[in-house]
């Protein structure tokens, strides 16, 4: 809360200084008195003060954002690496992510199809059921890793 109050005070001071300097510039343009070296020096110092104070306020925010981004970046990378487990055995020609996605979808569909064919047969002791079960298991071994078999 104190930081917000301090930030508000700083922004008010900056705004006041900017508006005062703008008023002075407008007044100087309308009156156009002869400028002395002292008045030029005063205006330059005021302009420098305004510029430095605005930079400090914006740079603090930028620094905080950069620090937070730096702190979060390694955590995100670590999380992705640690949680990623490959469930499928990909063929050699499947290399990029889109082709992998397409291949996974096709294999899941094929597994579901074989499972449906196997479960449609009600007699579990028949030759048809055993051949369907054999097809399902061989395809599963070919496509999935041993631990990940469903």
């Amino acid at each position: 809360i104190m930081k917000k109050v301090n930030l508000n005070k700083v922004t008010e001071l900056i705004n006041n200084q900017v508006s005062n300097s703008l008023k002075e510039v407008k007044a100087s343009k309308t009156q156009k008195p002869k400028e002395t070296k002292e008045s030029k020096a005063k205006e330059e110092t005021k302009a420098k003060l305004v510029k430095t104070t605005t930079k400090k306020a914006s740079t603090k925010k930028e620094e905080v954002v950069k620090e937070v981004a730096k702190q979060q970046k390694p955590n995100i990378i670590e999380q992705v690496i640690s949680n990623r487990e490959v469930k499928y055995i990909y063929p050699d020609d499947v290399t990029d992510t889109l082709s992998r996605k397409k291949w996974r979808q096709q294999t899941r569909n094929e597994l579901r199809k074989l499972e449906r064919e196997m479960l449609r047969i009600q007699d579990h002791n028949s030759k048809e059921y055993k051949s369907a079960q054999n097809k399902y298991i061989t395809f599963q071994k070919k496509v999935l890793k041993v631990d990940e078999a469903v």
Side-chain angles (χ1 to χ4, degrees), residues 93-105:
D93 60 338
V94 178
T95 54
D96 63 328
T97 56
L98 287 176
S99 61
R100 282 181 169 226
K101 184 177 180 180
K102 181 182 174 187
W103 186 83
R104 283 194 306 268
Q105 188 174 12

Side-chain angles (χ1 to χ4, degrees), residues 56-72:
K56 286 181 183 176
S58 64
T59 55
K60 285 182 182 179
K61 288 180 184 178
E62 292 171 359
E63 288 175 7
V64 170
V65 169
K66 287 179 183 177
E67 288 176 17
V68 171
K70 286 179 183 177
Q71 289 173 356
Q72 288 180 349

Side-chain angles (χ1 to χ4, degrees), residues 1-12 61:
I1 297 172
M2 293 298 290
K3 289 182 180 180
K4 289 181 181 178
V5 172
N6 289 340
L7 263 174
N8 290 336
K9 288 180 181 179
V10 169
T11 53
E12 286 178 23
K61 288 180 184 178

